[in-house]
Amino acid sequence: MKLVGALVAQFRRTAGLTQRQLADRSNTQPETIASIEQGRRALLPPLACVLDDILETKGALGTALEYMPEVDLIPAWAEEYMDLERMALALSFFANQVLPGLLQTESYARAVFGSRVPAFSPEEIDAHISNRLERQEIMRRKLPPTTSFIISEAIVRAPLGGAAVHEETLRHLRACADLPGITLQIMPLDRATHAALDGPFVLLETPDYQHLAYTETQRGSQLISDPDEVSILGQKYAMLRTQALNTEETKDLLDRLLGEL
């Protein structure tokens, strides 16, 4: 990733372009170009083809991606998802183990990345936190996506990072629950039925109204575009919304948990 990023930077400078100019021409963000050049974000094949055309590099970037080691290509799914997330019209998250990245505070994110096995270096932790907080900009834009979160009660009760981080997290969730365009629901622990025992997932709607899904496991991730598979996850999410606490009940639970601290 660092080698490909260095190539992008060299080709860009040879073409006499700034990162912003290249971003404008490739219909992406300057931060994306910067992250690719620094080796913090994978260059995906579609963008590689666009950059090869703009920079007149005769397919050099696309060829480089074809021969990247598989270990470096694994993050490409996540990177593609994050690019789609940035442009999405609507997002729906189900989480049962850890808060979705869009809801994490800096302290909570540090606790998440600090818990990784094998451990990240301090520099890697800082880079991951920076990327995570950068993603949250979509929640503060003028026209944010319509966003729904269903999170397990186990997440909000777990004191990840310690007591102070736990309280900060609960206060942050309580504030998010009042934001326009956001629906926050908690799945209670005492339910006798549960529509998503197979694990967490995300549904999203693109600007051209395509419906996609995204799932993560311990050692990988998958972007799902098959309409049948997306439909199944959509049915699961619809059922989850009926099984979870409604928005007012969720706020009440968060208030009670804050009162117990």
Side-chain angles (χ1 to χ4, degrees), residues 95-160:
N96 63 351
Q97 191 67 35
V98 66
L99 281 177
L102 295 183
L103 288 178
Q104 293 182 13
T105 65
E106 180 176 350
S107 298
Y108 186 95
R110 188 169 297 280
V112 170
F113 292 120
S115 298
R116 184 186 188 259
V117 177
F120 281 132
S121 69
E123 293 76 18
E124 288 174 316
I125 291 175
D126 288 342
H128 281 294
I129 291 173
S130 177
N131 289 338
R132 179 145 297 178
L133 296 180
E134 179 184 317
R135 282 174 59 199
Q136 296 178 3
E137 287 299 317
I138 67 171
M139 307 298 290
R140 293 186 285 272
R141 69 192 187 196
K142 188 174 182 180
L143 294 174
T146 300
T147 310
S148 169
F149 297 97
I150 299 176
I151 59 177
S152 170
E153 184 179 344
I155 295 175
V156 298
R157 288 190 177 274
L160 187 65

Side-chain angles (χ1 to χ4, degrees), residues 146-191:
T146 300
T147 310
S148 169
F149 297 97
I150 299 176
I151 59 177
S152 170
E153 184 179 344
I155 295 175
V156 298
R157 288 190 177 274
L160 187 65
V165 174
H166 187 209
E167 180 175 358
E168 178 191 40
T169 299
L170 291 176
R171 294 192 184 283
H172 177 67
L173 290 176
R174 184 62 182 82
C176 288
D178 284 331
L179 291 176
I182 289 181
T183 300
L184 177 61
Q185 295 178 259
I186 292 176
M187 175 66 77
L189 290 172
D190 60 359
R191 280 211 52 88

Side-chain angles (χ1 to χ4, degrees), residues 12 19 22-23 26 28-37 51:
R12 173 182 57 77
Q19 289 179 343
L22 181 57
S26 59
T28 186
Q29 299 295 319
E31 294 80 6
T32 299
I33 299 297
S35 294
I36 290 171
E37 291 187 356
L51 296 185

